[in-house]
Amino acid sequence: MTLEAHVFCTLPEMLASPVSSGIIKRAADAGAIEVHVHDLHALSPDPHHKVDDTPYGGGPGMVLRVDVVAHALEAAFDIPAEQLQERFPVILLTPQGEPFRQPVARALALEETLVFICGRYEGVDERISQHIAGQEISIGDFVLSGGEIAAAVVLEAVARLLPGALGNAESLEEESFAAGRLEYPHYTRPAEYRGWKVPDILTSGDHGRIKSWREEQALVRTRERRPDLLNDK
Ligand code: SAH
């Protein structure tokens, strides 16, 4: 199955590199994902290809227009924009959305089509959220200037979960957040560098003890750094 991802944004060039390198490219080469980046300027019904306007009620900045987004979505899908969310996730990237976490990535990776709407400037006309987007995602409690990088973050987290994208699917089972905890620490050669030694147990060859050491380390660091994860489940 190929996941079709459509990103609607005003700065498509910001997504050029993320979607053509690394894991998203690997997933695309494996036929697991297809990413289409749509330029809202090019698709704008406005004669001057404007995509934003000043806010009603005054205030600073510019607001992404609802008609521009609806028009672009309809050009791509030929279905009324407000009905798209019944068919697949239509996701608005916004600092006011649901915090993006691994379970959300896992759920999105099961879909056949994903649509992302990226704001810019002061934000987007609220009617995009009310009538067009069925889901809102925030990548964290900070404010970016646009949704493009946020969409790239979500896409990269989703792409690596798709079958065929990662070389070693086992690494997905142990990694951070997979079982509601952080992953254990890794070491590689050299065994000693500037007096900094790899824990003896890892070079002992005793796989049973290594396994329990790793489980314990994962727990210890989750308790120290992210106790909230342990309470989550
Ligand atoms: N004025 C708005 C922020 C607008 S930021 C507010 O205070 O809520 C401009 C755009 O960047 C947003 O429309 C959104 O698409 C994107 N963006 C900014 N921060 C983001 C975040 N943490 N997660 C996802 N998208 C974000």
Side-chain angles (χ1 to χ4, degrees):
M1 192 180 88
T2 305
L3 172 66
E4 236 186 71
H6 294 264
V7 186
F8 291 81
C9 63
T10 54
L11 280 181
E13 59 274 27
M14 277 187 104
L15 281 157
S17 164
V19 307
S20 62
S21 51
I23 195 72
I24 301 181
K25 176 172 192 299
R26 182 118 65 96
D29 289 347
I33 193 169
E34 248 176 52
V35 184
H36 303 269
V37 181
H38 305 264
D39 182 357
L40 288 172
H41 288 284
L43 296 165
S44 170
D46 184 279
H48 303 292
H49 293 288
K50 275 191 63 172
V51 295
D52 57 352
D53 212 329
T54 53
Y56 278 120
M62 299 293 276
V63 176
L64 184 64
R65 280 163 41 176
V66 61
D67 59 328
V68 168
V69 169
H71 189 265
L73 289 167
E74 286 164 4
F77 298 104
D78 212 16
I79 305 170
E82 60 273 32
Q83 288 173 21
L84 289 173
Q85 56 176 300
E86 293 159 20
R87 309 222 177 173
F88 37 72
V90 179
I91 301 160
L92 176 66
L93 280 317
T94 160
Q96 305 190 15
E98 174 190 5
F100 187 54
R101 307 182 74 189
Q102 196 63 18
V104 180
R106 278 197 289 270
L108 296 181
L110 301 174
E111 298 287 344
E112 283 178 32
T113 306
L114 296 176
V115 170
F116 297 95
I117 303 170
C118 304
R120 202 148 256 293
Y121 332 106
E122 192 55 29
V124 306
D125 189 303
E126 186 65 15
R127 290 168 290 181
I128 295 172
S129 155
Q130 289 169 331
H131 302 290
I132 297 179
Q135 190 173 349
E136 300 188 7
I137 290 181
S138 162
I139 64 158
D141 289 347
F142 41 78
V143 180
L144 302 166
S145 290
E148 288 82 358
I149 290 179
V153 166
V154 174
L155 272 176
E156 130 97 71
V158 170
R160 61 194 297 287
L161 298 175
L162 299 173
L166 271 194
N168 183 359
E170 256 180 47
S171 57
L172 289 178
E173 283 160 32
E174 296 205 335
E175 70 184 0
S176 295
F177 312 114
R181 64 181 66 169
L182 303 176
E183 197 180 33
Y184 53 79
H186 302 285
Y187 296 87
T188 186
R189 272 169 279 278
E192 182 168 351
Y193 179 67
R194 300 189 178 179
W196 307 330
K197 289 191 66 184
V198 169
D200 286 337
I201 185 151
L202 293 178
T203 51
S204 69
D206 184 337
H207 295 294
R209 281 182 57 222
I210 292 175
K211 190 165 181 277
S212 352
W213 180 84
R214 285 178 164 166
E215 278 167 12
E216 183 194 308
Q217 289 292 313
L219 257 179
V220 166
R221 60 174 48 203
T222 308
R223 233 178 254 131
E224 272 172 21
R225 301 178 186 203
R226 294 293 306 277
D228 57 301
L229 293 177
L230 296 171
N231 303 331
D232 257 13
K233 314 201 333 145

